[in-house]
């Protein structure tokens, strides 16, 4: 994850755009967890999954398993 720069496309001008850049603290914890669990693939989809993980944890710091899946 380190060094990847992903601009997330938005389908609506009203939506907030997020990128993997600027998510340093939260993203570092997510990235470490992915590596420990063997959840890192080729790197193509991993930044998007990491951003969704950060968004989920910002919304609910202790999500139940059904909210994660």
């Amino acid at each position: 994850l380190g060094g990847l720069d992903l601009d997330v496309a938005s389908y609506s001008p009203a939506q907030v755009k997020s990128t993997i850049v600027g998510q340093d603290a939260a993203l570092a914890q997510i990235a470490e967890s992915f590596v420990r669990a063997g959840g890192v693939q080729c790197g193509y989809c991993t930044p998007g999954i990491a951003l969704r993980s950060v968004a989920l944890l910002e919304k609910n710091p202790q999500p139940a398993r059904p909210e994660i899946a």
Side-chain angles (χ1 to χ4, degrees):
L1 288 174
L4 288 180
D5 185 355
L6 174 70
D7 290 328
V8 178
S10 176
Y11 294 105
S12 168
Q15 291 179 328
V16 175
K17 295 179 182 176
S18 295
T19 67
I20 203 162
V21 176
Q23 301 288 332
D24 296 335
L27 188 60
Q29 291 176 347
I30 296 292
E32 184 178 324
S33 296
F34 280 18
V35 170
R36 274 189 313 214
V40 179
Q41 299 287 321
C42 67
Y44 183 76
C45 63
T46 304
I49 295 168
L51 281 174
R52 282 297 285 163
S53 299
V54 170
L56 172 65
L57 293 172
E58 285 176 350
K59 182 179 173 185
N60 182 357
Q62 296 183 334
R65 196 171 268 289
E67 295 172 281
I68 297 169

